[in-house]
Amino acid sequence: MTIWNLGSINADMIYDVPHLPGPGETLAADRLARFLGGKGANMSVAAARAGAQVAHVGAIGPDGRWAFDRLTEYGVDTRHIAEVDIPTGHAIIAVDAQGENNIILFSGSNQAISIDQLEQALSSASTGDLLVMQNETNLQVEAAKLGRQLGLKVCYAAAPFQAEAVQAILPFLDFLILNRIEAEQLGQSTGLALSDLAVEHVIVTLGSDGARYYQRGKDPVDFAAHKVKPVDTTGAGDTFTGYVLAGMDRGMPMSQAIVQANRAAALMVTRHGTADVIPDLKEVRDARFD
């Protein structure tokens, strides 16, 4: 099976700072590093490192060949990534001493994916393959509709949260993943509890508190996070999602997929960076937590 990811590709410029800057504050950074990032690229790399076959559908600018090469190096099928005449997306990320972050995002070429490109990519998909999207590209609703028509399992990471975008895509979803704040925003915008959504699988990530899983018609189940000392939480949620998708793709019970994804996310927050430092499956299985 294959995971098809309509996903963003960014250059993540990460600055280590003593604290997150406030309004009007000028703050000196202690370190700068550039990583491959974007929620889409992060999820593709995580799923590939978890052992899944992943095909990425996206776009880079003339300055983004390095990102294409890294995705290829990490085992992602990059044949459906287009080069367009718009700069590659990038993010400016400040990370404080406790590992918390804030992010400024420039979408760039991530908003220039064509419908022809999407249709050509998914023409190679097979019934039962997974299709995942986030809110950092265009064409999410079109992809969800097409995925449903093709018999794919349609998955959606509702970040960055946009109420109208989420509500437009909800009717086509088999799987929804969002964090605690996004879950609250979704409830406010729809007036529905998560357990009332017409989606078979819903996961709410809870940071250091773990994750909560809702299967339609059943009581929610909580999964505790591993206790680690975080140095950078950037990309941890994407790592979790990629590992869950890889587990789904391999037919793992959802509980088992979440347990493995929790281990991957716990390792991820102990590392500085994004896609380039996502742990592989052997590291996740061999990890020891207190």
Side-chain angles (χ1 to χ4, degrees):
M1 306 296 286
T2 300
I3 298 172
W4 299 86
N5 185 359
L6 173 64
S8 55
I9 302 170
N10 289 337
D12 280 354
M13 311 300 291
I14 300 181
Y15 298 82
D16 287 348
V17 293
H19 60 267
L20 297 182
E25 180 179 9
T26 299
L27 188 63
D30 299 319
R31 186 181 72 104
L32 166 64
R34 185 184 76 168
F35 293 92
L36 172 65
K39 299 191 74 62
N42 292 342
M43 290 178 193
S44 282
V45 172
R49 287 187 165 166
Q53 180 176 329
V54 183
H56 195 102
V57 184
I60 55 172
D63 56 337
R65 187 70 196 187
W66 66 274
F68 180 96
D69 291 341
R70 284 199 197 173
L71 280 166
T72 304
E73 177 187 346
Y74 297 150
V76 176
D77 182 345
T78 53
R79 289 175 294 175
H80 303 290
I81 296 174
E83 183 173 322
V84 298
D85 292 327
I86 299 172
T88 303
H90 66 261
I92 297 172
I93 304 170
V95 180
D96 69 13
Q98 287 72 47
E100 295 299 325
N101 64 64
N102 61 23
I103 301 172
I104 298 173
L105 182 66
F106 170 71
S107 294
S109 57
N110 293 314
Q111 296 292 326
I113 302 166
S114 72
I115 189 67
D116 288 345
Q117 176 190 349
L118 173 67
E119 290 176 345
Q120 182 177 2
L122 293 186
S123 68
S124 299
S126 300
T127 300
D129 282 356
L130 273 66
L131 170 65
V132 62
M133 297 148 290
Q134 318 82 35
N135 272 344
E136 291 183 346
T137 72
N138 59 327
L139 299 181
Q140 289 103 3
V141 173
E142 292 86 347
K145 290 180 179 178
L146 182 57
R148 177 57 63 89
Q149 292 169 5
L150 294 171
L152 310 184
K153 297 177 183 176
V154 182
C155 310
Y156 184 61
F161 187 85
Q162 300 167 5
E164 291 183 1
V166 178
Q167 291 188 57
I169 208 169
L170 273 175
F172 309 103
L173 295 185
D174 299 291
F175 171 79
L176 171 66
I177 186 165
L178 61 178
N179 65 28
R180 192 194 323 248
I181 294 174
E182 292 157 356
E184 293 173 357
Q185 293 173 321
L186 180 60
Q188 292 168 1
S189 63
T190 63
L192 297 173
L194 291 178
S195 56
D196 294 329
L197 296 177
V199 180
E200 181 65 22
H201 306 285
V202 179
I203 296 177
V204 180
T205 57
L206 305 171
S208 60
D209 292 326
R212 180 168 296 146
Y213 169 52
Y214 298 80
Q215 184 172 11
R216 194 174 182 189
K218 297 184 179 180
D219 292 333
V221 180
D222 287 342
F223 294 82
H226 296 281
K227 302 303 179 185
V228 296
K229 183 177 181 180
V231 299
D232 184 356
T233 59
T234 311
D238 301 333
T239 298
F240 178 94
T241 301
Y243 264 80
V244 168
L245 293 171
M248 292 173 63
D249 182 61
R250 295 201 303 273
M252 293 170 62
M254 185 62 80
S255 59
Q256 186 178 346
I258 293 173
V259 167
Q260 184 164 270
N262 264 343
R263 294 175 64 83
L267 278 180
M268 184 62 179
V269 300
T270 66
R271 303 175 175 186
H272 287 284
T274 45
D276 301 289
V277 298
I278 292 173
D280 63 27
L281 189 56
K282 185 178 186 303
E283 291 177 290
V284 171
R285 288 175 172 171
D286 292 346
R288 297 291 181 266
F289 301 101
D290 295 334

